Amino acid sequence: MPALFIHDHADLTLAISPDGRWWVRGEPVKHPGVSRYLYKSLTRNEKGNAVVKAGLFEVPVTIADAAFIVNDIEIPGAGSGTGTVVLNDGSREGLHPETIRFSNDHVPYCKVREGRFEARFSRAAYYRLAGHIHFEADAYRLRLAGREFILSI
């Protein structure tokens, strides 16, 4: 992988592939520490564009599908919250069921990072979630923690 120097950012290209891998100048990032740093520095600028922010520098990021992948979901018992998503960068955050949407290919996504980014559910995480989805009265419904959310499929 080419060296990543923020002071040499004029020709720096950053991208996240559909499988959640980072690419720098067209080369895959192989070091987990660099990937964690890039995810930690990923934000949106005042125009709403995805960028990696390092000090005073902002480097645009091209996101092919979703910025994050939900690798797992932890569903608590009734009355104890709506669950936790485990993201591909190793972080964990609360699931916000009202943000779940399905693509035309029936792939589930949810909002993460305070709603700034989307995360695509891995197959394993989707299967775990699917155990709490049922069809009733012409709608798919997600039951979590004693609450019910109507899903847009």
Side-chain angles (χ1 to χ4, degrees):
M1 178 184 94
L4 174 64
F5 296 107
I6 295 299
H7 69 272
D8 183 26
H9 73 284
D11 70 335
L12 185 58
T13 58
L14 297 176
I16 303 173
S17 63
D19 64 356
R21 292 192 54 175
W22 280 92
W23 291 71
V24 176
R25 294 187 174 112
E27 297 289 328
V29 172
K30 295 180 181 171
H31 193 283
V34 173
S35 290
R36 280 192 304 274
Y37 172 79
L38 291 170
Y39 268 122
K40 184 178 178 184
S41 304
L42 181 64
T43 189
R44 295 222 180 252
N45 64 16
E46 63 280 349
K47 294 179 182 176
N49 299 321
V51 296
V52 164
K53 193 165 191 162
L56 298 175
F57 299 105
E58 283 185 1
V59 181
V61 178
T62 301
I63 301 172
D65 184 14
F68 295 88
I69 306 293
V70 176
N71 283 337
D72 197 10
I73 181 169
E74 298 168 351
I75 307 289
S80 56
T82 57
T84 301
V85 292
V86 180
L87 302 176
N88 58 318
D89 68 343
S91 66
R92 305 159 72 87
E93 59 182 77
L95 171 65
H96 300 282
E98 66 279 2
T99 71
I100 295 174
R101 72 167 185 88
F102 284 79
S103 70
N104 292 337
D105 297 330
H106 308 290
V107 176
Y109 293 79
C110 69
K111 295 284 187 177
V112 295
R113 301 291 154 100
E114 299 173 352
R116 292 177 304 197
F117 293 98
E118 277 200 317
R120 187 180 77 242
F121 280 72
S122 68
R123 186 168 289 163
Y126 172 53
Y127 288 155
R128 186 177 298 250
L129 182 71
H132 300 272
I133 297 173
H134 67 283
F135 187 78
E136 180 181 304
D138 296 331
Y140 286 95
R141 299 167 187 271
L142 173 64
R143 282 194 188 132
L144 293 174
R147 295 174 56 198
E148 194 166 84
F149 303 89
I150 295 178
L151 299 175
S152 174
I153 297 183

